[in-house]
Structure formats: structure tokens, C-alpha cells
Amino acid sequence: MESSRVTGGLSREYKLVMLGEGGVGKSAIIMQFISHRFPEDHDPTIEDAYKTQIRIDDKPANLDILDTAGQAEFTAMRDQYMRAGEGFIISYSITDRRSFQEARHFKQLIQRVRRTADTPVVLVGNKSDLVHLRQVSVEEGKELAREFQCPFFETSAALRYYIDEVFAALVRQIRQREAELGQGTERKSRHGHSLWRRLTALFLRKQHSES
Ligand SMILES: Nc1nc2c(ncn2[C@@H]2O[C@H](COP(=O)(O)OP(=O)(O)OP(=O)(O)O)[C@@H](O)[C@H]2O)c(=O)[nH]1
Ligand SMILES: [Mg+2]
């Protein structure tokens, strides 16, 4: 009883994973979210982990965000973080139709690894500032989100449009799902918790030794 109250309150940590094709702006979205900066260059990610604390609906939330590699050669750990994460941002670029098609594959992958269709997800179409390069319409994005039954935002990491909304929506999804499922989820997530610890510790170390 006591422990579920603690994890549901002040110290609740949310393990979020950013997914999407290479170059769609995953790292840029996270950087804008956390430090209000926009990286102009594309520096392909291997894996990075970030921590930040925010308030969502007047409740504190410690976010643990894993920034993943879009490029296939870096995806060795994918199954593991898909198992350990609690919420997923599936991102594509509105300027890149292929990345939109890949979004569906990411959803299927999550479903396969977790053996459930019921995982908190938010769909994001990034680079909305690049109107003249648009290849994917807003309507197509909304349609895919309807299929996924998840929230959808068109973001611009460059202009910081709808960045906070994405993370808030994902935490709300997780909270809502937890409220529906009740107490059982706490115990079940404990295994995922230690796996996540190991994963992010590894990535944080990597980040330090490479910079
Ligand atoms: N105009 C515009 N450019 C963006 C936006 N988001 C990202 N970019 C640019 O797109 C390029 C790729 O951004 P990244 O954040 O590195 O992409 P990524 O998805 O993390 O790529 P990988 O780590 O290789 O998977 C960079 O040059 C960014 O400056 C955006 O919203 N608008
Ligand atoms: Mg990146």
C-alpha cells in the first residue's frame, strides 16, 4: 500500500522512449523540450538518456527519456528498451513520406515486443515549419493516430511548437492507463525498472565518455 502511494506520488518516474526514422528530429525535439535549444546539425544518435522534472496537471513527474537511434546499424538494444519503456513517442517528419510509413512499423514492433496493443503512445509529425517541403498531410497524420488510438501533434522542434504538449500527452496516457489497470501495474513494472536502470546507465556512460 505504502509503496504504491509513493510511486503514484512525488517520486513517480516515467520511462519514455523516443522512436522514429533517422533524421526526423527526435534529438531536436528532446533538446527543445529539456533545454530550449535547437541543434541545427544532424548528429546521428547512438543512444542518449535524459532526465528532467516537470509538472503535468499539477502533479510532479520525473521523466527519464531515452533518445534512440533512427539508423538501423545502431538499433541492437531496441527490443530491450521497448520492453522496459512505459510510454513511446513515435515520430516522423512531415517532409519525409518514408519516415511516415516507418511510423506504422514502430507501432507494430512495440506491439510485438510487448505482446499488447495497449501501450501508451503519442504520434508526432515533426518539422511542421517546413511547409514548402511537406509530403505528409495533417489529415494523414490524424488518420494514422485514429488507427493507433493515440494523441497526435504536428510539432516543430525548430520553432518549439507543441513540444511540451507531446510529453504532457504521453504522461497523461500513462497515468490514465495506470488508473484503469489499478494497483497490479506497480509490481509488474518492477522488472522493467531494473532493466531500464541498466540500459540508461549504459547510455549515460557512453554519452560522457564520447563527449
Ligand atoms: N526545419 C526543421 N528542421 C528540423 C526540425 N527538427 C529537426 N530538424 C533538423 O533535422 C536534422 C535532424 O535532426 P535530429 O534531431 O538530429 O534527428 P534525429 O531523429 O535525432 O536523427 P537520428 O539521431 O539520426 O535518428 C537536424 O539538422 C535538425 O536541425 C524541425 O522541426 N524543423
Ligand atoms: Mg538523434
Side-chain angles (χ1 to χ4, degrees):
M1 285 298 179
E2 192 56 35
S3 78
S4 77
R5 219 164 64 215
V6 171
T7 46
L10 281 177
S11 60
R12 178 65 165 96
E13 190 175 74
Y14 296 88
K15 302 188 258 301
L16 314 182
V17 182
M18 174 65 91
L19 300 170
E21 271 267 285
V24 302
K26 299 181 295 298
S27 301
I29 291 170
I30 295 172
M31 192 149 299
Q32 270 291 17
F33 176 61
I34 290 183
S35 41
H36 292 248
R37 281 186 298 121
F38 175 65
E40 295 281 347
D41 301 328
H42 180 197
D43 178 11
T45 306
I46 297 176
E47 307 289 1
D48 289 320
Y50 299 87
K51 281 178 187 296
T52 189
Q53 190 179 45
I54 53 166
R55 289 186 80 79
I56 296 167
D57 301 329
D58 259 344
K59 273 184 275 177
N62 292 317
L63 307 190
D64 235 2
I65 306 167
L66 192 64
D67 184 13
T68 69
Q71 300 190 359
E73 59 267 38
F74 297 141
T75 54
M77 311 291 276
R78 194 143 75 182
D79 279 18
Q80 296 197 48
Y81 60 63
M82 283 202 172
R83 219 164 280 140
E86 295 172 294
F88 298 81
I89 297 168
I90 300 179
S91 56
Y92 64 90
S93 167
I94 65 144
T95 67
D96 177 0
R97 177 155 296 279
R98 214 188 65 157
S99 73
F100 180 66
Q101 286 154 354
E102 277 305 304
R104 187 175 268 115
H105 292 147
F106 281 107
K107 182 70 165 61
Q108 287 163 349
L109 206 58
I110 294 170
Q111 204 157 319
R112 209 189 61 215
V113 170
R114 301 174 71 87
R115 300 204 186 96
T116 169
D118 182 31
T119 298
V121 163
V122 173
L123 180 68
V124 169
N126 189 42
K127 306 199 187 184
S128 64
D129 55 296
L130 298 177
V131 278
H132 53 295
L133 297 175
R134 184 186 281 276
Q135 291 183 0
V136 183
S137 71
V138 182
E139 205 36 65
E140 286 174 290
K142 284 184 183 165
E143 184 56 42
L144 189 59
R146 265 195 292 276
E147 193 183 305
F148 290 179
Q149 296 185 296
C150 78
F152 168 65
F153 298 93
E154 279 204 348
T155 59
S156 167
L159 303 177
R160 211 177 188 286
Y161 286 169
Y162 293 99
I163 300 297
D164 294 329
E165 285 82 349
V166 167
F167 291 89
L170 186 53
V171 169
R172 284 191 191 107
Q173 292 272 301
I174 297 171
R175 284 177 178 168
Q176 193 184 329
R177 184 163 170 276
E178 233 166 48
E180 283 163 11
L181 293 179
Q183 299 222 327
T185 47
E186 293 295 350
R187 206 175 310 134
K188 202 175 156 215
S189 69
R190 219 159 271 160
H191 168 71
H193 193 70
S194 59
L195 175 59
W196 180 269
R197 278 277 154 281
R198 283 202 305 277
L199 283 169
T200 52
L202 185 70
F203 299 142
L204 284 167
R205 212 161 41 231
K206 208 171 250 173
Q207 202 178 335
H208 288 312
S209 62
E210 278 175 8
S211 54

